Amino acid sequence: MSRCRWTLVVAAAFPLLAMAETQVAGSVDPLFQDLDVVDVRLTAPFAAIMSSRHENEQFDGRLSYVDEAGNSTELELEIRTRGRYRLKENICPFAPLRLNFKKSQTEGSLFAGQDKLKLVTHCKDNSERYLQALLREYLAYRILNQLTDISFRVRLLKITYADMDEHWPQQTTHGFVIEHEDRLARRAGLEPLEVERIGESALQPGHLNLVSVFHFLIGNTDFSPVAGSKENCCHNHALLGRDGGLAYSVPYDFDQAGMVNAPHATANPRFKLLSVRQRLYRGRCRNNEILDDTLEKYRQQRGAILQLSNEEIGLTNFTRKKLQKYIEQFYEIIDAPKKVNRLLVKKCI
């Protein structure tokens, strides 16, 4: 689906309980229909890729896997590094990747319908801390999926990286791919929007408030649902909509969140936070009138969210306990009216 230029339509008013979302219009791609871990082998000149770290330089590679019927599939693709902060070699020696498939080859495969996919990698070889952070970031996407269909789906992979030039030793570790915004837009009956910024009144209030509380849950302040640092909106948010309707600002990239607690994450100096795990609400004051309804939705999903963290494979017992404690602290706040008033209502922007 190609991007479109979009005319912003500012709503004069919206219902207080505007929690209903657009009905998901399209089917989910095969890759994101299941949550089983997929074993794949990724073969490429990884030494050259990690040395290049340039978005305009792509390298030929191959992705292979064995399906449930025992059939082996190999797909040709191009690979390049991506990202900003994690693209820096001193931050992530093994940078995040973008996989560019040949769509004609993917038909009938697990990767049918895929063109370009973001791959979140382990960042540092042989680092249990970074692996645990990767799994916590994957879980953050899963939590948002639990709360709203208008969110990026993810799929966990067990990847064997094989350097075709044999400059790097073969290694096997986890990573996860993120649904492309074009595919999310198609699934939701929307289109990606190209604007420099967007007004709060042009965003679907229920979804915006839900997402704002989600950022508070995971302890994230590295985002903006209305503006970006480059030409297009928004910072760590993808903007989706349709001409004449309210838009949806959908978050991604949670490595700076307190719940993820990545080794490279730092407390946001803009807000003078003492720790990356310190929560700060960045919800919109105009949506305070629907905040109670938003929090009730989170209360209803409490058991399911905690179950996600309990069932997530690969987490150590230590990580799982810390993670669940962090989530429970969120619920202690939203279950206490005085804390809601002090930490959310009065902190809105």
Side-chain angles (χ1 to χ4, degrees), residues 139-173:
L139 182 61
Y141 283 93
R142 297 270 324 275
I143 290 173
L144 190 56
N145 294 161
Q146 182 70 33
L147 293 160
T148 171
D149 281 333
I150 303 182
S151 57
F152 287 102
R153 299 213 174 193
V154 286
R155 186 72 181 267
L156 190 62
L157 309 177
K158 187 175 182 180
I159 309 168
T160 296
Y161 295 96
D163 189 284
M164 60 175 51
D165 297 329
E166 299 184 351
H167 293 313
W168 278 17
Q170 180 174 296
Q171 61 175 316
T172 300
T173 187

PDB file of all heavy atoms in Angstrom, residues 139-173:
ATOM      1  N   LEU A 139       7.531  -8.374  24.685  1.00  0.00           N
ATOM      2  CA  LEU A 139       6.361  -8.495  25.545  1.00  0.00           C
ATOM      3  C   LEU A 139       5.571  -7.189  25.592  1.00  0.00           C
ATOM      4  O   LEU A 139       4.334  -7.204  25.661  1.00  0.00           O
ATOM      5  CB  LEU A 139       6.792  -8.895  26.956  1.00  0.00           C
ATOM      6  CG  LEU A 139       5.672  -9.111  27.973  1.00  0.00           C
ATOM      7  CD1 LEU A 139       4.749 -10.243  27.540  1.00  0.00           C
ATOM      8  CD2 LEU A 139       6.260  -9.393  29.351  1.00  0.00           C
ATOM      9  N   ALA A 140       6.251  -6.050  25.526  1.00  0.00           N
ATOM     10  CA  ALA A 140       5.552  -4.764  25.526  1.00  0.00           C
ATOM     11  C   ALA A 140       4.608  -4.670  24.324  1.00  0.00           C
ATOM     12  O   ALA A 140       3.459  -4.216  24.461  1.00  0.00           O
ATOM     13  CB  ALA A 140       6.559  -3.616  25.505  1.00  0.00           C
ATOM     14  N   TYR A 141       5.073  -5.102  23.144  1.00  0.00           N
ATOM     15  CA  TYR A 141       4.194  -5.127  21.971  1.00  0.00           C
ATOM     16  C   TYR A 141       3.008  -6.052  22.215  1.00  0.00           C
ATOM     17  O   TYR A 141       1.868  -5.735  21.846  1.00  0.00           O
ATOM     18  CB  TYR A 141       4.964  -5.606  20.745  1.00  0.00           C
ATOM     19  CG  TYR A 141       5.872  -4.587  20.116  1.00  0.00           C
ATOM     20  CD1 TYR A 141       7.217  -4.509  20.475  1.00  0.00           C
ATOM     21  CD2 TYR A 141       5.411  -3.718  19.132  1.00  0.00           C
ATOM     22  CE1 TYR A 141       8.066  -3.586  19.881  1.00  0.00           C
ATOM     23  CE2 TYR A 141       6.258  -2.800  18.528  1.00  0.00           C
ATOM     24  CZ  TYR A 141       7.580  -2.735  18.912  1.00  0.00           C
ATOM     25  OH  TYR A 141       8.421  -1.822  18.319  1.00  0.00           O
ATOM     26  N   ARG A 142       3.264  -7.212  22.826  1.00  0.00           N
ATOM     27  CA  ARG A 142       2.193  -8.180  23.091  1.00  0.00           C
ATOM     28  C   ARG A 142       1.147  -7.607  24.045  1.00  0.00           C
ATOM     29  O   ARG A 142      -0.049  -7.858  23.895  1.00  0.00           O
ATOM     30  CB  ARG A 142       2.774  -9.460  23.696  1.00  0.00           C
ATOM     31  CG  ARG A 142       3.737 -10.258  22.819  1.00  0.00           C
ATOM     32  CD  ARG A 142       3.047 -11.297  21.963  1.00  0.00           C
ATOM     33  NE  ARG A 142       1.922 -11.948  22.566  1.00  0.00           N
ATOM     34  CZ  ARG A 142       1.974 -13.010  23.382  1.00  0.00           C
ATOM     35  NH1 ARG A 142       3.147 -13.542  23.706  1.00  0.00           N
ATOM     36  NH2 ARG A 142       0.867 -13.552  23.853  1.00  0.00           N
ATOM     37  N   ILE A 143       1.587  -6.836  25.023  1.00  0.00           N
ATOM     38  CA  ILE A 143       0.646  -6.219  25.961  1.00  0.00           C
ATOM     39  C   ILE A 143      -0.261  -5.246  25.227  1.00  0.00           C
ATOM     40  O   ILE A 143      -1.481  -5.239  25.430  1.00  0.00           O
ATOM     41  CB  ILE A 143       1.404  -5.520  27.105  1.00  0.00           C
ATOM     42  CG1 ILE A 143       2.057  -6.559  28.026  1.00  0.00           C
ATOM     43  CG2 ILE A 143       0.465  -4.616  27.910  1.00  0.00           C
ATOM     44  CD1 ILE A 143       2.961  -5.963  29.093  1.00  0.00           C
ATOM     45  N   LEU A 144       0.311  -4.432  24.342  1.00  0.00           N
ATOM     46  CA  LEU A 144      -0.517  -3.491  23.597  1.00  0.00           C
ATOM     47  C   LEU A 144      -1.464  -4.232  22.654  1.00  0.00           C
ATOM     48  O   LEU A 144      -2.618  -3.815  22.475  1.00  0.00           O
ATOM     49  CB  LEU A 144       0.357  -2.509  22.816  1.00  0.00           C
ATOM     50  CG  LEU A 144      -0.383  -1.325  22.180  1.00  0.00           C
ATOM     51  CD1 LEU A 144      -1.170  -0.533  23.217  1.00  0.00           C
ATOM     52  CD2 LEU A 144       0.579  -0.411  21.428  1.00  0.00           C
ATOM     53  N   ASN A 145      -1.014  -5.347  22.070  1.00  0.00           N
ATOM     54  CA  ASN A 145      -1.906  -6.179  21.250  1.00  0.00           C
ATOM     55  C   ASN A 145      -3.095  -6.664  22.062  1.00  0.00           C
ATOM     56  O   ASN A 145      -4.206  -6.804  21.540  1.00  0.00           O
ATOM     57  CB  ASN A 145      -1.159  -7.393  20.702  1.00  0.00           C
ATOM     58  CG  ASN A 145      -0.070  -7.063  19.704  1.00  0.00           C
ATOM     59  OD1 ASN A 145       0.817  -7.881  19.461  1.00  0.00           O
ATOM     60  ND2 ASN A 145      -0.107  -5.877  19.115  1.00  0.00           N
ATOM     61  N   GLN A 146      -2.862  -6.937  23.342  1.00  0.00           N
ATOM     62  CA  GLN A 146      -3.930  -7.417  24.213  1.00  0.00           C
ATOM     63  C   GLN A 146      -4.993  -6.339  24.427  1.00  0.00           C
ATOM     64  O   GLN A 146      -6.169  -6.640  24.635  1.00  0.00           O
ATOM     65  CB  GLN A 146      -3.332  -7.843  25.566  1.00  0.00           C
ATOM     66  CG  GLN A 146      -4.313  -8.412  26.563  1.00  0.00           C
ATOM     67  CD  GLN A 146      -4.837  -9.784  26.168  1.00  0.00           C
ATOM     68  OE1 GLN A 146      -4.125 -10.576  25.563  1.00  0.00           O
ATOM     69  NE2 GLN A 146      -6.098 -10.052  26.488  1.00  0.00           N
ATOM     70  N   LEU A 147      -4.573  -5.085  24.342  1.00  0.00           N
ATOM     71  CA  LEU A 147      -5.454  -3.963  24.646  1.00  0.00           C
ATOM     72  C   LEU A 147      -6.153  -3.391  23.421  1.00  0.00           C
ATOM     73  O   LEU A 147      -7.243  -2.838  23.531  1.00  0.00           O
ATOM     74  CB  LEU A 147      -4.647  -2.856  25.334  1.00  0.00           C
ATOM     75  CG  LEU A 147      -4.116  -3.210  26.723  1.00  0.00           C
ATOM     76  CD1 LEU A 147      -2.962  -2.297  27.100  1.00  0.00           C
ATOM     77  CD2 LEU A 147      -5.231  -3.099  27.753  1.00  0.00           C
ATOM     78  N   THR A 148      -5.526  -3.490  22.249  1.00  0.00           N
ATOM     79  CA  THR A 148      -6.101  -2.911  21.040  1.00  0.00           C
ATOM     80  C   THR A 148      -5.582  -3.628  19.799  1.00  0.00           C
ATOM     81  O   THR A 148      -4.382  -3.947  19.720  1.00  0.00           O
ATOM     82  CB  THR A 148      -5.800  -1.403  20.924  1.00  0.00           C
ATOM     83  OG1 THR A 148      -6.208  -0.937  19.631  1.00  0.00           O
ATOM     84  CG2 THR A 148      -4.337  -1.095  21.114  1.00  0.00           C
ATOM     85  N   ASP A 149      -6.462  -3.856  18.834  1.00  0.00           N
ATOM     86  CA  ASP A 149      -6.054  -4.441  17.561  1.00  0.00           C
ATOM     87  C   ASP A 149      -5.271  -3.452  16.711  1.00  0.00           C
ATOM     88  O   ASP A 149      -4.515  -3.856  15.818  1.00  0.00           O
ATOM     89  CB  ASP A 149      -7.288  -4.905  16.768  1.00  0.00           C
ATOM     90  CG  ASP A 149      -7.833  -6.228  17.272  1.00  0.00           C
ATOM     91  OD1 ASP A 149      -7.037  -7.014  17.827  1.00  0.00           O
ATOM     92  OD2 ASP A 149      -9.038  -6.475  17.119  1.00  0.00           O
ATOM     93  N   ILE A 150      -5.454  -2.164  16.969  1.00  0.00           N
ATOM     94  CA  ILE A 150      -4.724  -1.166  16.191  1.00  0.00           C
ATOM     95  C   ILE A 150      -3.384  -0.944  16.872  1.00  0.00           C
ATOM     96  O   ILE A 150      -3.128   0.052  17.564  1.00  0.00           O
ATOM     97  CB  ILE A 150      -5.539   0.130  16.033  1.00  0.00           C
ATOM     98  CG1 ILE A 150      -6.895  -0.197  15.388  1.00  0.00           C
ATOM     99  CG2 ILE A 150      -4.792   1.138  15.146  1.00  0.00           C
ATOM    100  CD1 ILE A 150      -7.770   0.993  15.122  1.00  0.00           C
ATOM    101  N   SER A 151      -2.535  -1.928  16.708  1.00  0.00           N
ATOM    102  CA  SER A 151      -1.191  -1.959  17.273  1.00  0.00           C
ATOM    103  C   SER A 151      -0.353  -2.897  16.414  1.00  0.00           C
ATOM    104  O   SER A 151      -0.886  -3.755  15.710  1.00  0.00           O
ATOM    105  CB  SER A 151      -1.221  -2.447  18.729  1.00  0.00           C
ATOM    106  OG  SER A 151      -1.826  -3.734  18.818  1.00  0.00           O
ATOM    107  N   PHE A 152       0.951  -2.718  16.474  1.00  0.00           N
ATOM    108  CA  PHE A 152       1.846  -3.527  15.657  1.00  0.00           C
ATOM    109  C   PHE A 152       1.958  -4.943  16.216  1.00  0.00           C
ATOM    110  O   PHE A 152       2.306  -5.129  17.385  1.00  0.00           O
ATOM    111  CB  PHE A 152       3.240  -2.893  15.590  1.00  0.00           C
ATOM    112  CG  PHE A 152       3.303  -1.669  14.730  1.00  0.00           C
ATOM    113  CD1 PHE A 152       3.307  -0.403  15.307  1.00  0.00           C
ATOM    114  CD2 PHE A 152       3.351  -1.772  13.350  1.00  0.00           C
ATOM    115  CE1 PHE A 152       3.361   0.735  14.523  1.00  0.00           C
ATOM    116  CE2 PHE A 152       3.403  -0.644  12.552  1.00  0.00           C
ATOM    117  CZ  PHE A 152       3.409   0.609  13.136  1.00  0.00           C
ATOM    118  N   ARG A 153       1.685  -5.924  15.377  1.00  0.00           N
ATOM    119  CA  ARG A 153       1.890  -7.311  15.774  1.00  0.00           C
ATOM    120  C   ARG A 153       3.369  -7.667  15.636  1.00  0.00           C
ATOM    121  O   ARG A 153       4.104  -7.050  14.861  1.00  0.00           O
ATOM    122  CB  ARG A 153       1.032  -8.242  14.927  1.00  0.00           C
ATOM    123  CG  ARG A 153      -0.456  -7.946  15.082  1.00  0.00           C
ATOM    124  CD  ARG A 153      -1.281  -9.174  14.963  1.00  0.00           C
ATOM    125  NE  ARG A 153      -2.686  -8.891  15.246  1.00  0.00           N
ATOM    126  CZ  ARG A 153      -3.594  -9.820  15.458  1.00  0.00           C
ATOM    127  NH1 ARG A 153      -3.255 -11.103  15.429  1.00  0.00           N
ATOM    128  NH2 ARG A 153      -4.855  -9.501  15.709  1.00  0.00           N
ATOM    129  N   VAL A 154       3.776  -8.668  16.390  1.00  0.00           N
ATOM    130  CA  VAL A 154       5.175  -9.089  16.401  1.00  0.00           C
ATOM    131  C   VAL A 154       5.239 -10.611  16.350  1.00  0.00           C
ATOM    132  O   VAL A 154       4.278 -11.301  16.699  1.00  0.00           O
ATOM    133  CB  VAL A 154       5.907  -8.565  17.664  1.00  0.00           C
ATOM    134  CG1 VAL A 154       6.180  -7.077  17.563  1.00  0.00           C
ATOM    135  CG2 VAL A 154       5.111  -8.874  18.932  1.00  0.00           C
ATOM    136  N   ARG A 155       6.382 -11.126  15.928  1.00  0.00           N
ATOM    137  CA  ARG A 155       6.599 -12.583  15.921  1.00  0.00           C
ATOM    138  C   ARG A 155       8.024 -12.855  16.369  1.00  0.00           C
ATOM    139  O   ARG A 155       8.994 -12.292  15.831  1.00  0.00           O
ATOM    140  CB  ARG A 155       6.370 -13.155  14.517  1.00  0.00           C
ATOM    141  CG  ARG A 155       6.423 -14.695  14.435  1.00  0.00           C
ATOM    142  CD  ARG A 155       5.207 -15.324  15.084  1.00  0.00           C
ATOM    143  NE  ARG A 155       5.222 -16.787  15.052  1.00  0.00           N
ATOM    144  CZ  ARG A 155       4.663 -17.531  14.094  1.00  0.00           C
ATOM    145  NH1 ARG A 155       4.040 -16.945  13.064  1.00  0.00           N
ATOM    146  NH2 ARG A 155       4.684 -18.841  14.165  1.00  0.00           N
ATOM    147  N   LEU A 156       8.145 -13.706  17.367  1.00  0.00           N
ATOM    148  CA  LEU A 156       9.449 -14.055  17.914  1.00  0.00           C
ATOM    149  C   LEU A 156      10.115 -15.111  17.042  1.00  0.00           C
ATOM    150  O   LEU A 156       9.485 -16.090  16.633  1.00  0.00           O
ATOM    151  CB  LEU A 156       9.292 -14.575  19.339  1.00  0.00           C
ATOM    152  CG  LEU A 156      10.558 -14.767  20.169  1.00  0.00           C
ATOM    153  CD1 LEU A 156      11.288 -13.441  20.380  1.00  0.00           C
ATOM    154  CD2 LEU A 156      10.218 -15.396  21.517  1.00  0.00           C
ATOM    155  N   LEU A 157      11.383 -14.893  16.752  1.00  0.00           N
ATOM    156  CA  LEU A 157      12.163 -15.818  15.943  1.00  0.00           C
ATOM    157  C   LEU A 157      13.354 -16.330  16.735  1.00  0.00           C
ATOM    158  O   LEU A 157      13.904 -15.623  17.589  1.00  0.00           O
ATOM    159  CB  LEU A 157      12.699 -15.123  14.673  1.00  0.00           C
ATOM    160  CG  LEU A 157      11.719 -14.346  13.792  1.00  0.00           C
ATOM    161  CD1 LEU A 157      12.479 -13.686  12.632  1.00  0.00           C
ATOM    162  CD2 LEU A 157      10.629 -15.255  13.263  1.00  0.00           C
ATOM    163  N   LYS A 158      13.741 -17.564  16.458  1.00  0.00           N
ATOM    164  CA  LYS A 158      15.021 -18.084  16.915  1.00  0.00           C
ATOM    165  C   LYS A 158      15.909 -18.127  15.683  1.00  0.00           C
ATOM    166  O   LYS A 158      15.676 -18.919  14.772  1.00  0.00           O
ATOM    167  CB  LYS A 158      14.878 -19.468  17.537  1.00  0.00           C
ATOM    168  CG  LYS A 158      16.159 -19.977  18.191  1.00  0.00           C
ATOM    169  CD  LYS A 158      15.919 -21.309  18.896  1.00  0.00           C
ATOM    170  CE  LYS A 158      17.196 -21.780  19.590  1.00  0.00           C
ATOM    171  NZ  LYS A 158      16.982 -23.086  20.284  1.00  0.00           N
ATOM    172  N   ILE A 159      16.898 -17.251  15.656  1.00  0.00           N
ATOM    173  CA  ILE A 159      17.647 -16.989  14.427  1.00  0.00           C
ATOM    174  C   ILE A 159      19.060 -17.548  14.523  1.00  0.00           C
ATOM    175  O   ILE A 159      19.782 -17.282  15.482  1.00  0.00           O
ATOM    176  CB  ILE A 159      17.733 -15.480  14.158  1.00  0.00           C
ATOM    177  CG1 ILE A 159      16.347 -14.841  14.225  1.00  0.00           C
ATOM    178  CG2 ILE A 159      18.376 -15.209  12.797  1.00  0.00           C
ATOM    179  CD1 ILE A 159      16.374 -13.325  14.258  1.00  0.00           C
ATOM    180  N   THR A 160      19.425 -18.295  13.499  1.00  0.00           N
ATOM    181  CA  THR A 160      20.817 -18.684  13.321  1.00  0.00           C
ATOM    182  C   THR A 160      21.419 -17.745  12.288  1.00  0.00           C
ATOM    183  O   THR A 160      21.004 -17.727  11.126  1.00  0.00           O
ATOM    184  CB  THR A 160      20.949 -20.136  12.839  1.00  0.00           C
ATOM    185  OG1 THR A 160      20.427 -21.004  13.855  1.00  0.00           O
ATOM    186  CG2 THR A 160      22.403 -20.496  12.582  1.00  0.00           C
ATOM    187  N   TYR A 161      22.353 -16.916  12.734  1.00  0.00           N
ATOM    188  CA  TYR A 161      23.035 -15.987  11.840  1.00  0.00           C
ATOM    189  C   TYR A 161      24.276 -16.668  11.267  1.00  0.00           C
ATOM    190  O   TYR A 161      25.160 -17.091  12.023  1.00  0.00           O
ATOM    191  CB  TYR A 161      23.453 -14.717  12.584  1.00  0.00           C
ATOM    192  CG  TYR A 161      22.308 -13.867  13.088  1.00  0.00           C
ATOM    193  CD1 TYR A 161      21.860 -13.979  14.400  1.00  0.00           C
ATOM    194  CD2 TYR A 161      21.683 -12.949  12.252  1.00  0.00           C
ATOM    195  CE1 TYR A 161      20.816 -13.190  14.871  1.00  0.00           C
ATOM    196  CE2 TYR A 161      20.639 -12.157  12.717  1.00  0.00           C
ATOM    197  CZ  TYR A 161      20.219 -12.280  14.025  1.00  0.00           C
ATOM    198  OH  TYR A 161      19.183 -11.508  14.485  1.00  0.00           O
ATOM    199  N   ALA A 162      24.330 -16.761   9.950  1.00  0.00           N
ATOM    200  CA  ALA A 162      25.469 -17.381   9.279  1.00  0.00           C
ATOM    201  C   ALA A 162      26.109 -16.361   8.346  1.00  0.00           C
ATOM    202  O   ALA A 162      25.456 -15.865   7.423  1.00  0.00           O
ATOM    203  CB  ALA A 162      25.025 -18.606   8.488  1.00  0.00           C
ATOM    204  N   ASP A 163      27.339 -16.017   8.617  1.00  0.00           N
ATOM    205  CA  ASP A 163      28.060 -15.060   7.775  1.00  0.00           C
ATOM    206  C   ASP A 163      28.543 -15.774   6.513  1.00  0.00           C
ATOM    207  O   ASP A 163      29.363 -16.701   6.600  1.00  0.00           O
ATOM    208  CB  ASP A 163      29.241 -14.463   8.539  1.00  0.00           C
ATOM    209  CG  ASP A 163      29.880 -13.306   7.784  1.00  0.00           C
ATOM    210  OD1 ASP A 163      30.612 -13.575   6.807  1.00  0.00           O
ATOM    211  OD2 ASP A 163      29.621 -12.146   8.154  1.00  0.00           O
ATOM    212  N   MET A 164      28.045 -15.348   5.345  1.00  0.00           N
ATOM    213  CA  MET A 164      28.385 -16.063   4.106  1.00  0.00           C
ATOM    214  C   MET A 164      29.853 -15.917   3.730  1.00  0.00           C
ATOM    215  O   MET A 164      30.390 -16.729   2.975  1.00  0.00           O
ATOM    216  CB  MET A 164      27.483 -15.596   2.955  1.00  0.00           C
ATOM    217  CG  MET A 164      27.562 -14.138   2.618  1.00  0.00           C
ATOM    218  SD  MET A 164      26.574 -13.704   1.140  1.00  0.00           S
ATOM    219  CE  MET A 164      24.976 -14.415   1.500  1.00  0.00           C
ATOM    220  N   ASP A 165      30.503 -14.876   4.262  1.00  0.00           N
ATOM    221  CA  ASP A 165      31.935 -14.703   4.002  1.00  0.00           C
ATOM    222  C   ASP A 165      32.797 -15.358   5.073  1.00  0.00           C
ATOM    223  O   ASP A 165      34.029 -15.299   5.016  1.00  0.00           O
ATOM    224  CB  ASP A 165      32.282 -13.213   3.905  1.00  0.00           C
ATOM    225  CG  ASP A 165      31.585 -12.538   2.733  1.00  0.00           C
ATOM    226  OD1 ASP A 165      31.357 -13.230   1.718  1.00  0.00           O
ATOM    227  OD2 ASP A 165      31.275 -11.337   2.833  1.00  0.00           O
ATOM    228  N   GLU A 166      32.140 -15.936   6.085  1.00  0.00           N
ATOM    229  CA  GLU A 166      32.798 -16.659   7.174  1.00  0.00           C
ATOM    230  C   GLU A 166      33.783 -15.792   7.949  1.00  0.00           C
ATOM    231  O   GLU A 166      34.796 -16.255   8.444  1.00  0.00           O
ATOM    232  CB  GLU A 166      33.498 -17.920   6.642  1.00  0.00           C
ATOM    233  CG  GLU A 166      32.520 -18.903   6.008  1.00  0.00           C
ATOM    234  CD  GLU A 166      33.192 -20.185   5.566  1.00  0.00           C
ATOM    235  OE1 GLU A 166      34.438 -20.244   5.588  1.00  0.00           O
ATOM    236  OE2 GLU A 166      32.475 -21.135   5.210  1.00  0.00           O
ATOM    237  N   HIS A 167      33.451 -14.488   8.048  1.00  0.00           N
ATOM    238  CA  HIS A 167      34.276 -13.594   8.867  1.00  0.00           C
ATOM    239  C   HIS A 167      33.803 -13.582  10.321  1.00  0.00           C
ATOM    240  O   HIS A 167      34.564 -13.224  11.222  1.00  0.00           O
ATOM    241  CB  HIS A 167      34.238 -12.168   8.299  1.00  0.00           C
ATOM    242  CG  HIS A 167      34.893 -12.023   6.964  1.00  0.00           C
ATOM    243  ND1 HIS A 167      36.136 -12.545   6.675  1.00  0.00           N
ATOM    244  CD2 HIS A 167      34.468 -11.414   5.821  1.00  0.00           C
ATOM    245  CE1 HIS A 167      36.463 -12.257   5.423  1.00  0.00           C
ATOM    246  NE2 HIS A 167      35.461 -11.577   4.879  1.00  0.00           N
ATOM    247  N   TRP A 168      32.541 -13.951  10.524  1.00  0.00           N
ATOM    248  CA  TRP A 168      31.988 -14.011  11.868  1.00  0.00           C
ATOM    249  C   TRP A 168      31.582 -15.441  12.179  1.00  0.00           C
ATOM    250  O   TRP A 168      31.097 -16.155  11.303  1.00  0.00           O
ATOM    251  CB  TRP A 168      30.750 -13.106  11.971  1.00  0.00           C
ATOM    252  CG  TRP A 168      31.073 -11.660  12.207  1.00  0.00           C
ATOM    253  CD1 TRP A 168      32.260 -11.039  12.027  1.00  0.00           C
ATOM    254  CD2 TRP A 168      30.168 -10.659  12.672  1.00  0.00           C
ATOM    255  NE1 TRP A 168      32.167  -9.722  12.330  1.00  0.00           N
ATOM    256  CE2 TRP A 168      30.893  -9.448  12.734  1.00  0.00           C
ATOM    257  CE3 TRP A 168      28.833 -10.668  13.041  1.00  0.00           C
ATOM    258  CZ2 TRP A 168      30.321  -8.253  13.150  1.00  0.00           C
ATOM    259  CZ3 TRP A 168      28.251  -9.474  13.455  1.00  0.00           C
ATOM    260  CH2 TRP A 168      28.993  -8.280  13.511  1.00  0.00           C
ATOM    261  N   PRO A 169      31.740 -15.859  13.413  1.00  0.00           N
ATOM    262  CA  PRO A 169      31.295 -17.211  13.774  1.00  0.00           C
ATOM    263  C   PRO A 169      29.768 -17.297  13.763  1.00  0.00           C
ATOM    264  O   PRO A 169      29.074 -16.324  14.059  1.00  0.00           O
ATOM    265  CB  PRO A 169      31.857 -17.404  15.188  1.00  0.00           C
ATOM    266  CG  PRO A 169      31.996 -16.020  15.735  1.00  0.00           C
ATOM    267  CD  PRO A 169      32.362 -15.164  14.559  1.00  0.00           C
ATOM    268  N   GLN A 170      29.250 -18.449  13.422  1.00  0.00           N
ATOM    269  CA  GLN A 170      27.801 -18.659  13.427  1.00  0.00           C
ATOM    270  C   GLN A 170      27.266 -18.571  14.851  1.00  0.00           C
ATOM    271  O   GLN A 170      27.917 -19.025  15.790  1.00  0.00           O
ATOM    272  CB  GLN A 170      27.500 -20.034  12.828  1.00  0.00           C
ATOM    273  CG  GLN A 170      26.030 -20.386  12.777  1.00  0.00           C
ATOM    274  CD  GLN A 170      25.796 -21.687  12.032  1.00  0.00           C
ATOM    275  OE1 GLN A 170      26.051 -21.797  10.849  1.00  0.00           O
ATOM    276  NE2 GLN A 170      25.328 -22.690  12.749  1.00  0.00           N
ATOM    277  N   GLN A 171      26.101 -17.976  15.014  1.00  0.00           N
ATOM    278  CA  GLN A 171      25.497 -17.872  16.337  1.00  0.00           C
ATOM    279  C   GLN A 171      23.985 -18.002  16.215  1.00  0.00           C
ATOM    280  O   GLN A 171      23.398 -17.679  15.186  1.00  0.00           O
ATOM    281  CB  GLN A 171      25.853 -16.547  17.003  1.00  0.00           C
ATOM    282  CG  GLN A 171      25.371 -15.318  16.242  1.00  0.00           C
ATOM    283  CD  GLN A 171      25.641 -14.031  16.996  1.00  0.00           C
ATOM    284  OE1 GLN A 171      25.419 -13.955  18.211  1.00  0.00           O
ATOM    285  NE2 GLN A 171      26.149 -13.015  16.309  1.00  0.00           N
ATOM    286  N   THR A 172      23.366 -18.481  17.278  1.00  0.00           N
ATOM    287  CA  THR A 172      21.911 -18.632  17.312  1.00  0.00           C
ATOM    288  C   THR A 172      21.369 -17.904  18.536  1.00  0.00           C
ATOM    289  O   THR A 172      21.846 -18.117  19.661  1.00  0.00           O
ATOM    290  CB  THR A 172      21.507 -20.116  17.372  1.00  0.00           C
ATOM    291  OG1 THR A 172      22.010 -20.787  16.211  1.00  0.00           O
ATOM    292  CG2 THR A 172      19.990 -20.260  17.404  1.00  0.00           C
ATOM    293  N   THR A 173      20.390 -17.038  18.304  1.00  0.00           N
ATOM    294  CA  THR A 173      19.799 -16.271  19.393  1.00  0.00           C
ATOM    295  C   THR A 173      18.409 -15.811  18.968  1.00  0.00           C
ATOM    296  O   THR A 173      17.963 -16.085  17.860  1.00  0.00           O
ATOM    297  CB  THR A 173      20.684 -15.058  19.765  1.00  0.00           C
ATOM    298  OG1 THR A 173      20.164 -14.433  20.941  1.00  0.00           O
ATOM    299  CG2 THR A 173      20.747 -14.049  18.633  1.00  0.00           C
TER     300      THR A 173
END
